[in-house]
Amino acid sequence: MFSGIQPTGTSHLGNYLGALRWWVDFQDRYDALYCVVDLHALTIPGDPEELSKATLTTASLLLAAGLDPSRCILFVQSHVHQHAELTWLLECTASMGELNRMTQWKDKAAKGGEESARVGLFAYPVLMAADILLYDTDLVPVGDDQRQHLELTRDLAQRWNTRYGDTFTIPNAVIAPAGGGARIMDLQDPLRKMSKSSGSDAGIIYLLDDPDVIERKVKRAVTDLDPPGPGAVRWDPDEKPGVSNLLEILAALRGGKPEEIAAGYENYGKLKADAADAVIEMLRPLQERYREYAQDPGSVQAILADGASRASDIASRTYERARSAIGLLPR
Ligand code: TYM
């Protein structure tokens, strides 16, 4: 199993519910590798000093969320050089057309203008494919927004295997079903996913937000103008996206299905109060553990160094196989 998270700003509730909580569960069931993908963060403008800080913060948050280096491999992408090297080989099997069809590229390029978008942003899904394929990965736990990138990874691996002989394992995405937290929406704009690249912080719950900030953000979450009463609180992402998002958050944290949880509510105030409580309760121990790691960055760096060394052992073998399959002269 392999998955990754970008160290762009602080991770948020969408990252936690769509990915991290599953990572923690899965570390006992699978040979799992988890990666802070710092090279991916270079695809958008950012401050170099902030990047290394955010990389350490993200790794600390993953540990605080429950990743345990004795049960999984946790490492930083740029510490294993084969990620960049395999990306080149895969870029020489991918086509402009298929990368042009990636919706994340289209969205981001449309926002900032395609002319000035970085080439790395365009090629980003190929780097992601390299991440996954280097570890003979069967399963990739991700949120719904990564579905298309996983499809591309499978296509590239299949094409490569057909062209150059069996080299890569074909991976499968593991995505929670609808209502299971795979697509948490922005609290201020429930038609858009909660995202680090959103313009405003008001709709995003960061994992390090204080309880009063969380309460305020959830209380101000956009719902709709239906009057209270039976049926006002119901699971209906198309007609009632704001309310459904709160139900989904509550369901993911307390267990159960959002449509069943809805039956217990007649007004939005109580739903918001309970959703805020559930988030605060979940984050309390995580934030406490985070503070401990933040005081001892050396211990986090040691965990990452050990993770990189274990990851390298696997990645170097796969990369050598790929080199030889594509005809590069043995060293
Ligand atoms: P990233 O850093 O944007 O997000 C990390 C994980 O969080 C999930 N996620 C969400 N889930 C539910 N609701 C949301 N609003 C939400 N926002 C984010 C993402 O789906 C992801 O699982 N390209 C990836 C990182 C990556 C990767 C990989 C993942 C690089 N290489 C290899 C898997 C395998 C990304 O930008 O995720």
Side-chain angles (χ1 to χ4, degrees):
M1 170 165 279
F2 181 95
S3 201
I5 182 166
Q6 290 200 54
T8 325
T10 318
S11 309
H12 54 68
L13 188 65
N15 298 131
Y16 182 82
L17 294 181
L20 304 190
R21 69 184 170 125
W22 302 110
W23 296 9
V24 175
D25 270 8
F26 289 152
Q27 62 185 338
D28 289 320
R29 277 199 266 159
Y30 302 99
D31 295 328
L33 293 106
Y34 300 120
C35 185
V36 181
V37 292
D38 54 348
L39 297 175
H40 276 92
L42 298 175
T43 57
I44 50 168
D47 175 2
E49 225 173 273
E50 284 305 313
L51 175 59
S52 47
K53 268 196 218 147
T55 302
L56 202 56
T57 301
T58 305
S60 307
L61 273 171
L62 297 179
L63 292 165
L67 292 189
D68 173 352
S70 70
R71 286 138 76 206
C72 69
I73 297 177
L74 174 63
F75 70 105
V76 173
Q77 186 182 34
S78 68
H79 293 178
V80 179
H81 56 80
Q82 287 84 358
H83 288 250
E85 289 174 289
L86 182 61
T87 299
W88 179 254
L89 304 192
L90 291 173
E91 275 172 358
C92 294
T93 57
S95 72
M96 297 288 285
E98 62 194 344
L99 291 184
N100 244 325
R101 283 194 290 277
M102 295 293 116
T103 52
Q104 279 205 355
W105 154 252
K106 284 197 276 196
D107 290 351
K108 289 191 180 163
K111 254 193 220 160
E114 195 171 306
E115 265 312 295
S116 60
R118 298 180 180 198
V119 174
L121 185 64
F122 181 68
Y124 164 119
V126 186
L127 176 58
M128 181 162 162
D131 298 341
I132 296 168
L133 298 178
L134 273 176
Y135 298 96
D136 295 328
T137 304
D138 295 301
L139 299 172
V140 187
V142 281
D144 186 68
D145 60 335
Q146 300 299 321
R147 195 183 287 275
Q148 199 186 23
H149 293 159
L150 256 295
E151 277 308 311
L152 177 77
T153 303
R154 291 169 56 85
D155 288 347
L156 294 181
Q158 262 148 358
R159 184 176 313 149
W160 176 296
N161 286 351
T162 308
R163 239 180 237 172
Y164 305 117
D166 223 5
T167 309
F168 297 124
T169 302
I170 311 296
N172 285 294
V174 183
I175 301 175
R183 196 171 184 82
I184 298 299
M185 309 309 271
D186 188 291
L187 299 179
Q188 285 300 313
D189 181 358
L191 296 176
R192 272 196 3 216
K193 69 169 180 177
M194 191 177 281
S195 161
K196 291 170 202 164
S197 55
S198 156
S200 140
D201 283 348
I204 306 175
I205 297 178
Y206 293 104
L207 298 185
L208 293 176
D209 274 350
D210 286 335
D212 56 324
V213 173
I214 296 173
E215 213 173 295
R216 198 168 57 239
K217 286 180 177 174
V218 177
K219 213 178 256 172
R220 293 189 184 157
V222 167
T223 48
D224 53 49
L225 298 174
D226 288 351
V233 177
R234 62 174 196 278
W235 166 249
D236 183 348
D238 291 333
E239 292 294 317
K240 297 177 80 74
V243 173
S244 300
N245 193 36
L246 293 173
L247 285 168
E248 184 155 348
I249 291 171
L250 197 53
L253 291 172
R254 295 247 162 107
K257 293 201 164 125
E259 49 274 50
E260 289 161 9
I261 289 186
Y265 293 93
E266 292 202 347
N267 70 68
Y268 300 161
K270 177 84 172 87
L271 171 64
K272 285 180 171 179
D274 286 358
D277 275 355
V279 174
I280 291 166
E281 283 317 307
M282 179 278 285
L283 286 180
R284 197 186 305 280
L286 187 155
Q287 293 183 349
E288 261 165 38
R289 284 193 297 268
Y290 172 80
R291 281 191 281 274
E292 286 166 25
Y293 284 114
Q295 278 171 6
D296 187 9
S299 76
V300 179
Q301 276 172 315
I303 290 170
L304 293 174
D306 179 58
S309 137
R310 289 156 70 203
S312 287
D313 285 346
I314 308 171
S316 56
R317 269 180 276 143
T318 317
Y319 180 65
E320 285 310 312
R321 214 160 65 223
R323 268 187 113 258
S324 138
I326 206 168
L328 297 174
L329 184 67
R331 288 178 266 220

